[in-house]
Amino acid sequence: MTNQERDKLLRALQERFDRHARRHPAIAWAEVQQRLMGQPEALRTLHWMEATGGEPDVIGRDAGACVFADCSPESPPGRRSLCYDRAALDARKANKPGGNALDTAAEAGVELLSEAQYHHLQTLGEFDTKTSSWLLTPPGMRSRGGALFGDRRFGRVFIYHNGAESYYAARGFRAALRV
């Protein structure tokens, strides 16, 4: 990442942080910026989140770390049409998608949102009213072929399941990054 790209990203993050202060009421931008400047890998990851349409913003803390999550109104457009994981992708015989959510997230250095994180995100705004997002799925469910996704319809948040090998143009994944 060039200095110019880094500065542009930091400006975008600060503008979003300031515009959506209710997402992180007890966190100051100066602290976030200081953490980011000490973690160049986190800046590269946030650049990827931004470039794929995630609109990352701080949504809270976890064990002292600031947690960034995708706050785009809909599932990030640069991360859609993916099945859940490598096993699901390998199981497809025809019409394979271009990739899978878990490998894409791991390559970028992020994690899929958990159910709890997704519910928390939905308290900060209305997300996925026209799309849906894969969520981190418990191993017991995944071993039976399923995977979780979430969306918001009819004024409420739904967590549901689908075959992990499925993929849709309107389903992507939201990421979390601890800094």
Side-chain angles (χ1 to χ4, degrees), residues 75-84 89 95-101 132 134 165-173:
S75 194
R79 295 184 236 150
R80 295 186 193 165
S81 296
L82 303 170
C83 61
Y84 182 73
L89 182 62
N95 303 315
K96 289 187 180 219
N100 70 81
S132 61
W134 286 118
E165 72 285 347
S166 65
Y167 67 97
Y168 302 95
R171 181 172 305 149
F173 72 90

Side-chain angles (χ1 to χ4, degrees), residues 8-179:
K8 182 179 177 183
L9 173 64
L10 285 170
R11 277 192 307 277
L13 292 172
Q14 183 176 7
E15 287 171 10
R16 188 173 300 123
F17 185 91
D18 292 342
R19 194 169 53 250
H20 299 286
R22 76 177 209 78
R23 292 178 183 162
H24 36 258
I27 302 172
W29 174 252
E31 175 193 352
V32 174
Q33 185 172 12
Q34 181 179 10
R35 287 174 177 269
L36 289 172
M37 297 310 288
Q39 297 183 42
E41 188 59 40
L43 280 171
R44 282 190 287 280
T45 300
L46 287 165
H47 184 261
W48 175 84
M49 290 171 74
E50 186 76 22
T52 56
E55 301 179 23
D57 195 8
V58 177
I59 64 163
R61 292 187 187 276
D62 182 21
C66 293
V67 178
F68 280 87
D70 292 308
C71 293
S72 55
E74 302 301 334
S75 194
R79 295 184 236 150
R80 295 186 193 165
S81 296
L82 303 170
C83 61
Y84 182 73
D85 61 11
R86 169 64 54 188
L89 182 62
D90 291 344
R92 287 195 67 95
K93 302 296 182 219
N95 303 315
K96 289 187 180 219
N100 70 81
L102 283 187
D103 285 352
T104 302
E107 289 167 10
V110 296
E111 297 176 346
L112 271 64
L113 292 184
S114 68
E115 285 182 80
Q117 289 170 319
Y118 192 76
H119 279 291
H120 173 68
L121 177 68
Q122 292 284 3
T123 68
L124 303 176
E126 292 192 0
F127 302 95
D128 289 334
T129 61
K130 298 174 189 152
T131 60
S132 61
S133 295
W134 286 118
L135 301 176
L136 197 58
T137 300
M141 178 183 283
R142 182 60 197 101
S143 69
R144 292 179 175 94
L148 296 176
F149 69 90
D151 61 25
R152 178 186 284 271
R153 302 291 191 273
F154 312 109
R156 77 175 274 192
V157 177
F158 290 90
I159 305 296
Y160 204 65
H161 61 88
N162 215 176
E165 72 285 347
S166 65
Y167 67 97
Y168 302 95
R171 181 172 305 149
F173 72 90
R174 292 178 180 276
L177 176 69
R178 288 165 187 77
V179 178

